Amino acid sequence: MKHQIKSLEQYHSDYKLSIENPEIFWADIAETFVWKKKWDNVLDWNFEKPDIKWFINGKLNITENCLDRHLEIRGDKPAIIWEPNSSDEPNRIITYKELHEAVCRFSNVLQNNGIVKGDRVCLYMPMVPELTIAVLACARVGAIHSVVFAGFSAQSLSDRINDSDCKILITADGLFRGNKTVNLKEICDEALKTTPSIEKVIVYKRTADTIDMKMGRDVWWHSEMNKAATKFDAIEMDSEDELFILYTSGSTGKPKGVVHTCAGYMVYTYYTFLNVFQYEEDDIFWCTADVGWVTGHSYIIYGPLLNGATTVMFEGIPTYPDAGRFWATIDKLQVSKFYTAPTAIRSLMASGLDFVKPYKLDSLKVLGSVGEPINEEAWFWYHDNIGKERCPIVDTWWQTETGGILISPIAYVTPTKPTFATLPLPGVQPILVNQQGEEIVENGVEGLLCMKFPWPSIIRTTYGDHERCRQAYFSTFKNLYFTGDGCRRDEDGYYRIIGRVDDVMNVSGHRLGTAEVENAINEHPNIIESAVVGYPHDIKGQGIYAFVICDKQVNDISLFTKEVNEVISKIISPIAKPDRIQIVSGLPKTRSGKIMRRILRKIAEGDFSNLGDTSTLLDPTVVDEIIRNRK
Ligand code: WT7
């Protein structure tokens, strides 16, 4: 396949070209696609403003490249294989032809319900094919999709809808997750009390739970689809028109809406999917993420479909009906490339090999890891027991803001090294800097990971607040994109991501800001103040440790914990529940009132030896008290 790197020599020569002549390099890849009008210039960029444009004045619609482009040669090829929550329910297989028709129909539904180019549409959906259909239909009509993970609370949903003034909400009556059902429509109804911009709600029927349908506002997916025509000419989009918004947590304030645009995102997700996983035409590709996260956007939907691949969508969870579900499904669907998160690997590892042994796993060719650092034990377990020492592991480092994978082995090309994301992909120019922003050029060092040149799917802005984007990513170091990650580069020039250096936690691969969790905890009526830090957790990677100051004495600690969890679940999501809560009488603060999280992180870790300088604290005795009472 053209553009596919087949040897280490080719990697080095393609990399060299991509650095010396990025415009020629990326233009050649962009030629793969159907354009309504070709671009004038490939790239124009400025990291100070920031202002980044790729494929300037190009006109296209990404769905023509995901769907229409494939119809002639792969019309009857499965585009989506859907694996339901219950292994007793049959699979659904949707061919490219069928997906194309469904997307066209739903594009008409959106238009019939008042959507025009540039409108924002919020999706709060189970992992069913209709979620992918809705995402693509938004792109086809030129609406900007904002998918909200269906594990977020009503308040989180409402905040996200309001931040970008979404006009339509697409949801379902409910969802199945393991042996639970969740009534999604009820959560939506709660959120909709405070979302004035929403004019219509389109409801897909999944669980047949009883729900309220509000006349004039709520309509059923199936009845709208039945009325809709099956043809829809894709709307012409500019390369830099917004494709989607995806909310993600930062070190301060509320989650921000990361914005990606049409052409650059298309070119980059296509290219990285093709190379990292060494995509082949007969692959069955399974990324276990939820479409609610960027991994799902880029490597369940766009990357695979742009390549004409067969992509698996899984509705359930790794431990239902038992901890062998992933492995059973790999055998059942003959999955060849499998992409999951270290937290899932660690939890399945803990369940024991009896859940792996019954399965052959001989269809597998490549294993992927994403979302957090993979520890050595999990790497070897995955490599030996799932990949049978035969499948390369691609440890892919990237972020919501990067749109696609930046640092990763290329399967069968890059020699892997456990726990290392290895080398930058072509077009990616990482540098390590010290706290002063000076470049560290040698190998065998640690530093702050930055990028000195744009790649096509770099974040363009944060929705409605460009200054926040500049502040968060482009102001820490002049003329650099700052990732927020600490990183080691070894003697071979291989990169190993250490983790966040800011106040962002990574809990089971979910990104959460400490401030965001503290704000939620502080809503508990008995909590005056709190400080939250991440600490090493065997399964989750990081756990959440909350230090709280209470107004009145707490007598029933288990009741108190339950209440705190309820508050968090209501305001954010159950994924943000603290793993440990410690009631304290004070927090270690500097004289200027700043909480010294460094100290709390050490205490949470259980490492009391190196607390560093505590002499600048307003009251150093609180530290002793916290240590004494830590259980
Ligand atoms: C943060 C981004 C990329 C999609 C899923 C997460 C951490 C991500 C790796 C990896 C070590 C990783 C980083 C990054 N991270 N992949 N392979 N090795 N750390 O996207 O929610 O935007 O989180 O996840 O800390 O900054 P996200």
Side-chain angles (χ1 to χ4, degrees):
M1 252 174 275
K2 214 183 158 207
H3 304 134
Q4 201 166 44
I5 297 168
K6 284 291 174 195
S7 67
L8 199 56
E9 294 70 47
Q10 193 194 343
Y11 162 74
H12 286 297
S13 65
D14 285 10
Y15 187 79
K16 189 160 178 276
L17 170 66
S18 78
I19 302 308
E20 287 171 357
N21 228 319
E23 302 200 15
I24 291 180
F25 178 83
W26 288 113
D28 179 51
I29 291 158
E31 293 284 350
T32 311
F33 295 110
V34 179
W35 295 80
K36 290 179 188 282
K37 178 188 162 289
K38 281 269 161 69
W39 56 91
D40 296 335
N41 298 312
V42 178
L43 172 64
D44 192 4
W45 67 289
N46 174 324
F47 269 1
E48 288 203 32
K49 290 183 179 170
D51 183 13
I52 305 152
K53 295 191 181 83
W54 282 91
F55 308 105
I56 296 153
N57 293 329
K59 306 288 174 199
L60 74 157
N61 188 291
I62 195 169
T63 69
E64 289 189 328
N65 288 303
C66 289
L67 302 170
D68 308 53
R69 184 166 87 88
H70 303 306
L71 292 182
E72 212 172 300
I73 37 172
R74 328 187 158 86
D76 295 321
K77 176 177 173 175
I80 300 175
I81 302 179
W82 179 69
E83 171 73 12
N85 177 63
S86 159
S87 35
D88 299 333
E89 193 180 333
N91 289 109
R92 281 171 64 190
I93 297 179
I94 298 168
T95 66
Y96 271 91
K97 247 190 229 153
E98 290 163 342
L99 183 60
H100 176 260
E101 189 184 308
V103 169
C104 288
R105 256 183 204 271
F106 199 69
S107 300
N108 282 310
V109 170
L110 289 173
Q111 212 172 49
N112 295 344
N113 281 280
I115 289 296
V116 295
K117 181 177 167 180
D119 284 344
R120 276 79 54 213
V121 174
C122 181
L123 293 86
Y124 186 73
M125 297 270 283
M127 280 286 287
V128 290
E130 284 67 23
L131 170 52
T132 298
I133 292 165
V135 161
L136 293 171
C138 287
R140 198 160 179 96
V141 305
I144 303 164
H145 55 79
S146 169
V147 183
V148 176
F149 172 58
F152 277 118
S153 67
Q155 186 165 333
S156 296
L157 174 61
S158 149
D159 285 350
R160 285 160 175 75
I161 289 172
N162 289 334
D163 185 76
S164 45
D165 289 319
C166 295
K167 198 161 160 184
I168 285 192
L169 170 63
I170 305 169
T171 188
D173 48 356
L175 63 73
F176 298 116
R177 192 175 281 150
N179 52 22
K180 292 200 198 95
T181 44
V182 180
N183 188 319
L184 284 187
K185 182 61 168 47
E186 228 167 54
I187 300 172
C188 289
D189 288 339
E190 178 63 29
L192 286 159
K193 288 181 186 160
T194 50
T195 56
S197 61
I198 294 288
E199 294 170 10
K200 285 278 172 66
V201 181
I202 303 175
V203 186
Y204 175 71
K205 190 181 229 152
R206 173 66 186 123
T207 56
D209 271 22
T210 27
I211 59 167
D212 285 336
M213 293 289 280
K214 189 170 163 185
M215 276 268 285
R217 185 193 71 184
D218 303 349
V219 294
W220 284 105
W221 174 288
H222 55 265
S223 51
E224 293 298 298
M225 281 295 254
N226 287 341
K227 286 188 282 192
T230 55
K231 282 212 164 62
F232 189 97
D233 290 336
I235 298 290
E236 180 171 297
M237 303 293 281
D238 185 87
S239 291
E240 285 300 333
D241 277 339
E242 296 179 353
L243 174 63
F244 68 85
I245 305 168
L246 190 56
Y247 286 86
T248 191
S249 299
S251 51
T252 54
K254 290 201 166 168
K256 45 188 177 258
V258 170
V259 172
H260 285 290
T261 57
C262 295
Y265 179 82
M266 172 178 79
V267 170
Y268 198 75
T269 52
Y270 161 80
Y271 180 75
T272 52
F273 178 78
L274 176 66
N275 278 293
V276 169
F277 300 102
Q278 287 291 297
Y279 168 63
E280 295 160 292
E281 187 74 47
D282 59 356
D283 271 340
I284 307 288
F285 180 81
W286 182 15
C287 166
T288 68
D290 193 286
V291 168
W293 314 111
V294 75
T295 310
H297 282 59
S298 301
Y299 300 107
I300 294 177
I301 301 183
Y302 287 111
L305 297 181
L306 286 163
N307 279 278
T310 299
T311 185
V312 175
M313 250 184 119
F314 175 45
E315 183 185 33
I317 55 171
T319 50
Y320 181 81
D322 62 46
R325 184 66 188 275
F326 275 0
W327 325 129
T329 306
I330 289 171
D331 276 6
K332 175 176 160 193
L333 305 179
Q334 290 292 291
V335 171
S336 54
K337 316 267 161 96
F338 178 69
Y339 192 28
T340 196
T343 190
I345 298 166
R346 285 189 299 264
S347 95
L348 297 176
M349 182 167 85
S351 307
L353 282 177
D354 285 349
F355 289 102
V356 183
K357 281 190 192 129
Y359 307 105
K360 286 207 182 87
L361 303 176
D362 56 354
S363 56
L364 286 172
K365 292 183 179 171
V366 175
L367 300 176
S369 172
V370 62
E372 37 169 339
I374 178 162
N375 50 307
E376 207 159 289
E377 201 192 348
W379 196 98
F380 278 109
W381 188 86
Y382 197 30
H383 181 262
D384 298 350
N385 299 298
I386 307 305
K388 315 283 184 197
E389 301 173 39
R390 156 178 74 70
C391 304
I393 294 183
V394 291
D395 177 1
T396 62
W397 175 84
W398 57 297
Q399 310 177 294
T400 305
E401 295 85 344
T402 70
I405 300 165
L406 294 195
I407 304 180
S408 169
I410 293 169
Y412 294 101
V413 169
T414 317
T416 59
K417 200 185 276 188
T419 76
F420 281 78
T422 74
L423 299 172
L425 296 178
V428 175
Q429 302 193 35
I431 78 166
L432 299 183
V433 301
N434 62 20
Q435 298 284 348
Q436 288 71 47
E438 295 151 354
E439 178 166 4
I440 310 168
V441 289
E442 316 82 71
N443 283 344
V445 291
E446 258 180 47
L448 303 170
L449 180 62
C450 297
M451 300 292 154
K452 60 180 170 192
F453 196 84
W455 59 97
S457 62
I458 187 175
I459 180 173
R460 299 303 198 271
T461 190
T462 46
Y463 195 84
D465 190 351
H466 192 63
E467 173 57 15
R468 194 165 173 204
C469 173
R470 194 190 66 78
Q471 275 280 340
Y473 310 106
F474 298 93
S475 71
T476 318
F477 305 115
K478 195 173 155 64
N479 276 321
L480 295 176
Y481 166 83
F482 176 43
T483 65
D485 279 321
C487 181
R488 192 178 127 67
R489 188 171 52 218
D490 75 358
E491 299 301 340
D492 298 329
Y494 269 32
Y495 290 85
R496 176 191 190 158
I497 311 304
I498 298 163
R500 304 290 305 197
V501 295
D502 51 9
D503 290 322
V504 170
M505 299 176 290
N506 191 327
V507 180
S508 300
H510 301 314
R511 195 165 144 181
L512 295 162
T514 52
E516 189 189 356
V517 179
E518 285 162 8
N519 290 340
I521 285 189
N522 295 347
E523 292 292 310
H524 185 283
N526 193 25
I527 294 178
I528 300 174
E529 201 184 354
S530 64
V532 160
V533 297
Y535 72 100
H537 186 289
D538 284 349
I539 305 275
K540 297 179 167 188
Q542 274 191 316
I544 301 179
Y545 200 121
F547 299 90
V548 301
I549 304 176
C550 290
D551 182 20
K552 292 182 218 69
Q553 198 190 322
V554 174
N555 297 318
D556 186 343
I557 186 78
S558 70
L559 177 66
F560 177 69
T561 306
K562 192 167 157 264
E563 287 167 2
V564 171
N565 287 340
E566 274 165 14
V567 168
I568 300 272
S569 302
K570 182 165 175 276
I571 298 179
I572 306 176
S573 156
I575 60 184
K577 288 194 292 202
D579 298 276
R580 302 189 64 151
I581 302 172
Q582 182 176 345
I583 299 169
V584 297
S585 66
L587 291 165
K589 288 188 178 170
T590 61
R591 290 200 179 85
S592 59
K594 211 172 157 297
I595 297 171
M596 286 185 83
R597 288 173 195 284
R598 178 176 56 76
I599 294 177
L600 292 176
R601 272 195 287 265
K602 285 279 178 196
I603 298 175
E605 240 174 80
D607 173 5
F608 315 128
S609 57
N610 275 311
L611 294 181
D613 185 10
T614 54
S615 64
T616 55
L617 289 178
L618 189 63
D619 176 9
T621 64
V622 297
V623 175
D624 302 327
E625 184 224 271
I626 295 174
I627 292 175
R628 213 170 35 244
N629 295 331
R630 185 185 182 280
K631 282 187 209 75

